[in-house]
Amino acid sequence: VLSACVDDPSVEIVTSDPDVPMILIHGTGESGADIYARWGMTDAVAPDNVSSIAGMIEPGERVILLGQGSGASIAYDLACARPDLVSAVVMLSGQASDAECVNGSAVSVLTVHGTVDDVIPYSSATETFEKAKQIAQCSSVAFVDSPDIGASVEALSCLERTDGRARSATHWRVIGWDHNPDLGETWAPA
């Protein structure tokens, strides 16, 4: 359910539970208008993107960020810079930036990357998962049951529980998916 749409069409605030909003951050998209260029940024790490999106979040609220492509880097940057605002990040066909994370970030991260992505090659997914483990502050990794998403998936995950909080870093290696996979009926809203 779309609860709000901000002025920039590359960012949408979506929620099915009013207590846990999700912010979608689109990447380049088929129009070719890169999100950084649209906001006047040239660096891979764009602090103004973080500030712009952080400003959309209500005080005291923690959100889930879902970023696709370059939007995944922005989601990662926000989770690193403002973990007080972010409970989890989903990075679809994206790559973690070189942003330094705030000590004690402890944000759960799911990375999903196709093996035939010709925009952000799958080879970058290993480094992204390593960074996801750092932001989630977990290190012990194991294969886990693969999700049923209509494609062959290899799933790795680590889970950490401290101070009464659980957080995880999970990586889905999706066989045969490209940068913009046809998600089909599996991902359609109920």
Side-chain angles (χ1 to χ4, degrees), residues 19-94:
D19 294 329
V20 187
M22 176 183 285
I23 297 179
L24 307 176
I25 308 168
H26 304 273
T28 302
E30 292 183 19
S31 69
D34 183 87
I35 193 169
Y36 292 121
R38 202 176 355 222
W39 286 349
M41 304 294 130
T42 56
D43 298 332
V45 179
D48 288 332
N49 292 343
V50 170
S51 299
S52 297
I53 296 169
M56 298 175 199
I57 302 169
E58 297 292 327
E61 185 172 63
R62 292 186 81 208
V63 301
I64 298 169
L65 301 175
L66 187 147
Q68 197 277 331
S70 58
S73 294
I74 296 168
Y76 178 84
D77 291 350
L78 179 54
C80 282
R82 296 293 311 271
D84 58 310
L85 300 177
V86 180
S87 61
V89 175
V90 179
M91 299 176 68
L92 178 62
S93 301

Side-chain angles (χ1 to χ4, degrees), residues 104-167:
S105 294
V107 173
S108 292
V109 181
L110 168 63
T111 64
V112 181
H113 211 114
T115 58
V116 296
D117 188 330
D118 61 349
V119 177
I120 300 175
Y122 181 79
S123 58
S124 71
T126 302
E127 181 180 343
T128 296
F129 182 54
E130 288 303 313
K131 291 181 178 183
K133 290 187 328 188
Q134 289 175 3
I135 195 172
Q137 298 180 351
C138 62
S139 57
S140 180
V141 177
F143 281 98
V144 294
D145 291 337
S146 298
D148 181 11
I149 61 170
S152 179
V153 177
E154 295 172 0
L156 293 169
S157 188
C158 67
L159 176 66
E160 190 67 36
R161 287 187 175 95
T162 55
D163 302 327
R165 288 182 50 185
R167 58 197 174 277

